[in-house]
Amino acid sequence: MTSTQARLTLAAAVATLLAALTLVPLLQGGEWFLAVVVVVGVVAGVGAGARQVVRWWPAVVLLQALGLVLCVTWLFARDVATWGLLPGPDVVRELSDLLHAGLTVTRLEVPPVPVTRGVVLVTGGGVGLVALAVDMIAASLHRPAVAGLPLLAVYCVPAAVLPGGLSWWYFVVAALGFLLLVGSDSVDRVRSWGRVLGPSSDDRGDRTLGGPLAGARRLAVSSVLVAAVVPTFVPGLGDQLLRGHGSGHGNGKGGSIMVVNPILTLKDNLTARSNVVIVRYTTTAAHPDPLRIVSDDVFDGSQWSPSTGEIPRDNKVQDGLSNPPGLSQDVPVRQLRTSINVLDLQQTYLPTPYPPTRVQIEGAWIYDSQTLNIVGDGVTTRNSRYVVDHLAVEPTARQLEAAPPPPVEILNTYGKLPATLPRTISETARAVAGTGSTYAKALALQEWLRSTGGFDYSEQVDPPKGRQASGQDAVLAFLQNKHGYCVQFASAMAVMARTLNIPSRVAVGFLPGHQRADHTYEINLRDAHAWPELYFGGIGWVRFEPTPSRRSGPVPAWAQSPTAEAPAPTATATQSVTSRPTRAVTRRDPGLNDAPAAVEPSLLDRIMADIPWGWLAGLAGLALLGGVPLAVERLIRRTRWLRAARGTPIARVEAAWDELREELEDLGVTWAASWTPRALQLRLVTDHALPGSAQAALRRLVTDLEHARYAPPDGEGRDVPALRSDVATVVGAVVESGTIRPWVRHRARWLPASGLRTLSGALRRLDVAVNEAGRKMSEFGADVRQRVGRP
């Protein structure tokens, strides 16, 4: 790899990292940048190493892509990879699940989004692909200016997503990275025209800020500053891609913005330390129901998520919402009104009691007629005030017991289960629910999870690595371990209900919060909650509460069991889901404001804990072992020249000749001991087509050697720097002649044969010395035994 390629490789990596900094406003915290640094470093390192071995750029790109795949596997799917590194079908599924989860978070959340493993995969993998493209265009194809296109693509993501655009200094940072990339190639391109004219004739001036290219650099930097500053003062240019001080998103001047995560990251809110109030409301309900943000009705085996589809912009909530799905006129309802004030909560979904009938709110808010989810069309919930007219649906136990089967289209839509669902889940559901009515089965599931099944509410239990908290693997692990938080309770009941042909979904929102003396209710992040909703014919969606009461409070009146507790499941069913013994865990209620919050390990802590230090230590040992011949070779040559500097003129010439011989032998050049110096000179000039400078250097070395060996001493001779310069000139000419294969050159550089020979000779001498020492010890022992008269 030439010096230009090395410089471009480093500049491409730095430019990509600077462009990645523009993603800061989109993501919470800064720990995601660690994964980006690792991925970009792997792409650059593999590219630099590959160019040392091969010259065909597609092969270099292929090796970089392979390195990127291995790096992503190691970072995000190490537990299911072969040897923690090699991908297979399990790795593909794992990464697919994480990718889907990350894209879902980015789709549902408003920036800055929470940094989940899926989001880190989307960010790190995307930036890794950009780094691969930039490195390929700049270092492999030598088109650094064109490499600005993928860098611009990174910058355009936050510029297009953020409502107010990016601050001007993000543009400056990204532009400086691009200028660094272009400038890394500019000196060589200018010098290819000949000697650069300028205030200094020293070529080294080209590479300093004060050299002949200083004017170009000043012009480039000035252009960037003008592009960043002028739109702020010139009317009409606007601030779509650049903005001034912003509106306070993320960590800007407007303060921190709290984001309630969907079911994917609900645990982060439950374990949040902050008890800052994010919602205040008053209501005409004597006992308010939870505020629902969104209902997740699609279960693909890895997670629950809301259904996606086009919502007509005509479905404005100010005009009134459609009738609640499935609700008939026979079910008693009460008209209620709730006035809500959202503070530092930024969501695209609007928190309301279910089912809402009309919302008095400013802005473009539309609703999905199938789920009654309310979503903002370019607006968010932050600092919003609105009034919700809604219903209190109060079905009786008799109505639920006599509910007809759901329509076929409802069952087909809200009863889907993946083919890979573990059989244990459905077997357990049937054993727990029994053979009664749909209502009786729902109550049995709720009571078993809530009180009689031995389940414990805990926010310190993580789902299986790489699986979402609501996925089927997490549900199975929850049924076996019997420890989890509201997501697992709600997911387990909803999945088990679907195995019993009961349409179900999972709702995400807030518990009612606590009431103040002025009858105002207050909600904080730790009131975030998830619960299942089951569909009953003629009634519609009905809320159940399987999470234990110490977290969720009392169950709705219609969900109360007629008996004190539901009958325990059969022994067979219990044994099928409790393969491991249940351990009692006593904890303070994490739902209380004065309870100690469980701290989620940071992304940095998780990455550091997952690093295979054993593998790294082994690789480091191999690298050190592979570097021994190189170290030995460098030590020998350094010692040789030091001794020559203190020796006679003859010793200096002999040292230079030995140095030339060893370096050429490392390159595979034939060097017969019977050849005279002049014969070797002729062969080198002929076989490797040495240029004039190299021929003159070789001629001086041969003449010095002949005078030293065959002529009487004549003066002090040449000094060590002159001799070393001639040796380097000859060796460099042989390397550049094209007669030495690339892999031989790299072997000579990193694994020199002279170092191996010296190391092998030292080991043989050590072996001889050990054998000799053993022989002498044996002789000494025999002599001692003879002296004392022992055989």
Side-chain angles (χ1 to χ4, degrees), residues 472-789:
Q472 60 189 31
D473 290 354
V475 169
L476 180 60
F478 168 70
L479 294 179
Q480 293 173 339
N481 299 329
K482 296 194 172 184
H483 302 290
Y485 51 102
C486 58
V487 170
Q488 276 114 21
F489 280 93
S491 300
M493 181 168 178
V495 172
M496 295 171 76
R498 287 197 176 188
T499 65
L500 302 174
N501 292 325
I502 305 176
S504 64
R505 65 188 187 188
V506 174
V508 181
F510 295 110
L511 292 170
H514 65 279
Q515 188 177 23
R516 300 172 51 185
D518 60 355
H519 303 291
T520 299
Y521 288 86
E522 293 183 341
I523 292 174
N524 59 49
L525 274 181
R526 300 197 61 194
D527 291 319
H529 189 53
W531 61 89
E533 295 177 344
L534 276 57
Y535 188 93
F536 288 82
I539 300 172
W541 293 103
V542 179
R543 175 171 64 94
F544 286 82
E545 190 52 81
T547 304
S549 59
R550 68 187 184 92
R551 163 63 186 172
S552 62
V555 299
W558 59 81
Q560 295 178 2
S561 175
T563 58
E565 76 179 26
T570 63
T572 302
T574 305
Q575 293 171 1
S576 66
V577 295
T578 56
S579 57
R580 281 178 281 185
T582 302
R583 55 186 177 90
V585 179
T586 303
R587 296 187 181 91
R588 295 177 66 187
D589 185 2
L592 299 178
N593 291 340
D594 61 348
V599 180
E600 183 77 6
S602 66
L603 176 63
L604 176 62
D605 293 336
R606 295 197 298 269
I607 291 178
M608 294 298 292
D610 289 341
I611 291 178
W613 295 110
W615 278 90
L616 294 183
L619 293 176
L622 290 176
L624 291 176
L625 184 61
V628 169
L630 178 61
V632 170
E633 180 257 354
R634 296 291 172 84
L635 178 62
I636 291 174
R637 294 180 181 176
R638 179 178 178 82
T639 304
R640 175 186 294 130
W641 286 117
L642 289 175
R643 290 177 179 175
R646 296 191 299 266
T648 63
I650 297 176
R652 292 196 295 269
V653 174
E654 292 288 351
W657 196 252
D658 290 340
E659 183 80 3
L660 179 63
R661 175 180 53 81
E662 284 190 0
E663 292 201 39
L664 292 180
E665 286 180 345
D666 288 345
L667 291 170
V669 176
T670 303
W671 185 296
S674 60
W675 291 348
T676 64
R678 288 186 181 271
L680 180 63
Q681 176 185 358
L682 179 60
R683 193 171 189 98
L684 290 178
V685 171
T686 304
D687 293 348
H688 301 285
L690 298 184
S693 59
Q695 292 184 30
L698 181 57
R699 188 182 308 114
R700 288 192 294 267
L701 291 173
V702 170
T703 302
D704 290 344
L705 181 65
E706 290 177 341
H707 286 175
R709 289 181 177 180
Y710 308 119
D714 182 16
E716 293 296 325
R718 292 196 296 161
D719 58 8
V720 167
L723 293 171
R724 293 188 70 173
S725 177
D726 283 346
V727 171
T729 299
V730 174
V731 174
V734 172
V735 171
E736 297 296 332
S737 65
T739 58
I740 308 299
R741 294 181 179 180
W743 70 270
V744 176
R745 295 201 309 267
H746 301 313
R747 184 197 64 185
R749 182 177 181 181
W750 302 107
L751 195 64
S754 58
L756 289 173
R757 285 194 301 270
T758 303
L759 184 61
S760 177
L763 293 176
R764 285 196 300 269
R765 289 192 294 273
L766 178 62
D767 183 62
V768 171
V770 171
N771 291 335
E772 182 66 16
R775 185 183 63 80
K776 290 184 177 181
M777 289 295 296
S778 298
E779 292 178 354
F780 177 75
D783 184 63
V784 170
R785 288 193 298 270
Q786 184 178 4
R787 289 177 182 278
V788 298

Side-chain angles (χ1 to χ4, degrees), residues 10 46 160 211 221 247 251 297 323 350 361 457 546 725 774:
L10 179 60
V46 173
V221 173
S247 57
N251 297 325
D297 47 26
N323 294 328
L350 192 68
I361 187 174
Y457 181 84
S725 177

